[in-house]
Amino acid sequence: MSAREQILGKIEPLAESKHPGAFQGASEEFDFRASLAVVGARVMTMAELETEFPGRRRYDKTLDGLSLAEIEVLEIDGEFGVAENGAIWLLEEALPHRVAPFICQHLVINVKKIVPHMHAAYEELGKVNSGFGLFLSGPSKTADIEQSLVIGAHGARSLTVVIHA
Amino acid sequence: MRVALFVPCYIDQFYPQVAVASLELLEKLGCEVVVPTDQTCCGQPMANSGFASSTEGCDANFSQNFEGFDYIVGPSGSCVLHVKEHHPSKKIRNSVYEICEFLMDVLKVSSLNAHFPHRVGLHQSCHGQRGLHLSSMSERNEKHFSKIEDLLALVGGIEVVLPVRVDECCGFGGTFCVTEEAVSVKMGQDRIKEHHANAVSYIVGVDTSCLMHMEGILRRQGSKVQVKHIVEILNHA
Amino acid sequence: MLSHAEASENFIADADRTDWHDETLWFVREKRDKVSKVLPEWEALREHASQIKDHTLANLGEYLQAFEAKAQANGITVHWAADAAEHNAIVHDIIAAQGSKILVKSKSMLTEECHLNDYLASKGIEVVDTDLGERIVQFRNEAPSHIVLPAIHLKKEDVGETFHQFLGTPKGNKDPQFLTEAARQHLRGHFLASEVAITGVNFAVAETGEFVVCTNEGNADMGAHLAKVHIACMGIEKIIPKRADLASFLRLLARSATGQLITTYTSHFHKPREGQEIHIMLIDNGRTRQLADPKYKNSLKCIRCAACFNTCPVYRRSGGHSYHQPVAGPIGSILAPNIDKKANVDLPFASTLCGSCSNVCPVKINIHEQLWFWRQDLMEAGLAPVGKTIGMKLMAFTLANPVIYRIGGSLLRRFAGLLNTRLNPWYKQREMPVAPQESFQEWYKKR
């Protein structure tokens, strides 16, 4: 017997327990900017961005995964931001490569829309059939050495968000 | 009101003053207190050690002593919790009360003729708190309440001080206190350290077992801090 | 192998380090308290997540098949493995087909459970763990001591020394920023070179066939997106029904784990990228047995946040290695006996049953109650030392008979002084209670 049949054969159906449906009663009072500050991201205006990162590269389809490693600063467009946790939904279609937001040294994301919380975020996502997507919240970080927070573990060392909403 | 006093075995043998205070306090509050004289142990030490299968004798003896009472009241959160969760008789499970719970929820005590002019550190015993819900719990997002603090607030002259880790376990844990001696003692020492830092004269709790464990450490350390079961304070004129 | 009690005694012998370990993890617990208490819906969210898991476990077979069908339609290869050995063999086959001798792996407690690294090493394949904490303990040939903070048992001096030895960092440099940068440079080379990447799975969605991986460092993504072959390993309990269910779990996970609002990266893998293979491993390894036992089925709700570790007063003072299992702490103590009763007979007893674990659990697993049930099952299975069984039976007999109890009690009080000996574990660091002249019952009779 295959492992599949073995496993499925061993799973006895249990007494039915209903799916509770969508979560009701989520708070709406969240501040996207405040959450970005908590997760270690900076918010800038376009003008400030020009001064800070004049040589940045906008998403360009000709870049492949490995040459991306050479990019200091990458600018991409996020789909929307989540106020409760500062996360920004990124879709594969808006990325030069799936690894792009991780492998660059510094990341800039444009955000045009903000939803209050994760429940609203998944409503917004709906049944998108993209191959890959992620919520990204702040720069790469670790606290694996004595719980001291260090920014820039493996992914981008900084995240700058430009809010166009 | 007719009440059967449940005196856990180790209180009977080593801390009779806790049972005496419980008896006197309940009588002062107008209860007719019956003390079944053949009571022994609720069976918790065996059950928590994995030998619940050996507690039939204790359960039967408990039933014989307490059958027919609507209020079975004991000064020990963990023993009461054990009976409430594991005794085979539903009537008994529903009739057993930890004494603070009984004072607050059944007698609805709103004043006491008690006086205890000392600085007292409160130890939350886990089974009373998390098991019997005598007070809100630090882990949960719930409104603060405490039947224990409410009772102590009725005592004249008392100053109650809470440790920073307001409801961390003291490490007694039944047979855990000897089978995991090192962790058990370390946990107790850490609790005591906080109470020492708060310069209390007494540590008060609702479970004599936790107090016995901390008292053992306090005395070994040569500390002047003493332990008191809450009924000893509530009964202190 | 040392028992939990013996290993803890060794751990506590270093009092300063024990205090540091306790305080550091307590701080994580406090961060969790803070972020959970600003969400008025926190307790409702826990209940909601718990109900989703109840529903999923009640229909696990259907959801696994739905997930499989969707994932396959998305171009992902799905493998099933009944146990650790089968899992390891399949993973090896996939790597061998690729011809790789070295690969990168991000955190996966499942592969720890299956001892995959050792197995692959025996086949001549080197696994490079890429989570910083896991890389540190891998260099030191140790196991992770915490499922979220793998190197929490170590001080920065230890890490500095380890990196000096393995990465050539200057001796004596113990600056976390500097050491993290050294690891970044070292691991970036591996990310760029590896053709195979292994990751864990936090959630797999039956509705869409996608799976979600959460990290703060970005190591899972760095590995997966650069490799030609991505192998994602998950226990069958990681399934959830719908994509929208992720909202509740993601809100709970990071807040419970580290007090963060969400992990930095929450990646949704739906289809392989062009030219890439994705393989998903679905493992049982005892989970169906756990599911079939109503007492323990709830343990399968676990989302591996480790909040129960951080709150556990025993874990904080005994360290993860004292649990001698890949998953330590309270949750580990109710999972491990399902795999091997005899080897883990000590773990359900490594608790005071204080109940704090159940209170912090984001999916409301009744952990402390399951510890109690395991104690019964293990003792009924005859795994108690002979002395304990005799002692317990004698105690039960004495306490069931009022006359014998009274005689025993009075003897105990009269000769209590004899217990003041180092042979009595109580007396080692505590005084015995002072035995009174009269018991309460003796006093009461005279009243």
Side-chain angles (χ1 to χ4, degrees), chain B residues 6-10 39-48 52 54-63 66 76-84 86-88 96, chain C residues 399-400 405:
Chain B
F6 162 33
V7 182
C9 53
Y10 71 100
Q39 59 177 304
T40 56
C41 167
C42 62
Q44 182 186 205
M46 284 77 77
N48 285 3
S54 302
T55 60
E56 276 171 25
C58 280
D59 289 338
N61 189 61
F62 195 92
S63 292
F66 291 100
S76 164
S78 69
C79 303
V80 166
L81 181 67
H82 174 77
V83 173
K84 216 178 237 289
H86 301 295
H87 196 278
V96 72
Chain C
L399 293 172
Y405 160 78

Side-chain angles (χ1 to χ4, degrees), chain A residues 7 9 13 19 23 35 49 60 62 81 91 102 105 131 139 152 163:
Chain A
I7 294 169
H19 189 287
F23 182 74
S35 295
L49 192 67
D60 175 347
T62 62
L91 264 185
F102 303 91
Q105 297 292 332
I163 302 171

Side-chain angles (χ1 to χ4, degrees), chain B residues 11-115:
Chain B
I11 291 183
D12 177 37
Q13 296 296 334
F14 286 96
Y15 293 90
Q17 69 274 22
V18 175
V20 171
S22 304
L23 174 66
E24 291 178 355
L25 180 63
L26 288 168
E27 285 182 343
K28 260 192 235 174
L29 293 167
C31 297
E32 178 202 336
V33 184
V34 180
V35 180
T37 50
D38 275 346
Q39 59 177 304
T40 56
C41 167
C42 62
Q44 182 186 205
M46 284 77 77
N48 285 3
S49 303
F51 285 82
S53 57
S54 302
T55 60
E56 276 171 25
C58 280
D59 289 338
N61 189 61
F62 195 92
S63 292
Q64 266 173 20
N65 279 272
F66 291 100
E67 221 149 43
F69 287 99
D70 292 333
Y71 299 103
I72 304 164
V73 178
S76 164
S78 69
C79 303
V80 166
L81 181 67
H82 174 77
V83 173
K84 216 178 237 289
E85 287 187 336
H86 301 295
H87 196 278
S89 154
K90 189 177 175 204
K91 170 73 169 68
I92 284 182
R93 289 200 303 271
N94 289 340
S95 306
V96 72
Y97 293 85
E98 187 280 329
I99 194 161
C100 295
E101 187 183 24
F102 181 74
L103 295 178
M104 291 302 289
D105 298 351
V106 181
L107 295 185
K108 301 191 191 301
V109 170
S110 58
S111 70
L112 279 172
N113 186 17
H115 198 66

Side-chain angles (χ1 to χ4, degrees), chain C residues 176-417:
Chain C
Q177 181 90 41
F178 176 82
L179 296 172
T180 301
E181 182 62 28
R184 178 182 170 105
Q185 299 305 336
H186 154 68
L187 287 167
R188 208 156 253 242
H190 284 292
F191 286 130
L192 293 172
S194 283
E195 299 205 299
V196 179
I198 298 178
T199 70
V201 170
N202 290 90
F203 306 98
V205 184
E207 178 187 40
T208 58
E210 73 195 311
F211 61 94
V212 173
V213 182
C214 306
T215 72
N216 282 317
E217 298 182 4
N219 56 316
D221 290 271
M222 284 290 277
H225 303 319
L226 290 169
K228 267 181 73 181
V229 177
H230 174 189
I231 309 170
C233 306
M234 60 179 268
I236 52 174
E237 82 282 17
K238 295 280 182 202
I239 292 279
I240 58 170
K242 298 176 188 171
R243 195 177 215 199
D245 295 334
L246 284 166
S248 302
F249 290 111
L250 292 174
R251 296 187 81 192
L252 288 162
L253 178 62
R255 285 181 173 93
S256 298
T258 56
Q260 287 175 265
L261 303 175
I262 187 170
T263 46
T264 304
Y265 305 108
T266 307
S267 295
H268 298 50
F269 294 85
H270 201 178
K271 294 172 185 165
R273 65 168 202 280
E274 214 176 289
Q276 186 201 31
E277 288 171 32
I278 296 185
H279 298 262
I280 287 217
M281 303 293 307
L282 296 174
I283 331 300
D284 180 354
N285 207 34
R287 286 163 175 80
T288 48
R289 188 165 57 239
Q290 200 119 339
L291 182 69
D293 191 327
K295 299 193 297 288
Y296 305 124
K297 131 190 123 68
N298 275 350
S299 64
L300 295 175
K301 291 180 177 178
C302 178
I303 58 172
R304 301 291 190 269
C305 71
C308 62
F309 288 51
N310 305 335
T311 201
C312 179
V314 176
Y315 174 85
R316 276 186 267 112
R317 292 173 182 83
S318 59
H321 292 153
S322 65
Y323 294 78
H324 52 76
Q325 283 298 330
V327 180
I331 184 69
S333 299
I334 61 173
L335 293 176
N338 178 53
I339 305 230
D340 185 340
K341 286 194 175 86
K342 199 170 171 200
N344 300 304
V345 66
D346 54 330
L347 296 184
F349 292 93
S351 161
T352 60
L353 305 181
C354 79
S356 188
C357 46
S358 305
N359 268 348
V360 295
C361 178
V363 287
K364 297 181 86 167
I365 302 171
N366 55 337
I367 302 175
H368 72 294
E369 290 171 4
Q370 292 192 39
L371 287 166
W372 192 89
F373 287 130
W374 271 119
R375 291 181 181 189
Q376 313 309 322
D377 282 1
L378 294 171
M379 297 301 98
E380 271 166 35
L383 292 171
V386 182
K388 180 175 175 181
T389 307
I390 296 173
M392 283 293 152
K393 301 258 175 200
L394 192 67
M395 194 165 155
F397 173 76
T398 307
L399 293 172
N401 296 277
V403 177
I404 301 172
Y405 160 78
R406 280 194 282 270
I407 296 168
S410 117
L411 286 172
L412 181 64
R413 274 182 286 118
R414 191 163 317 157
F415 298 108

Side-chain angles (χ1 to χ4, degrees), chain C residues 17 136 140 153-163:
Chain C
R17 190 174 279 239
I136 294 166
R140 298 170 61 94
H153 59 291
L154 298 171
K155 303 293 294 280
K156 57 188 176 195
E157 292 79 9
D158 305 324
V159 179
E161 189 50 40
T162 301
F163 277 20

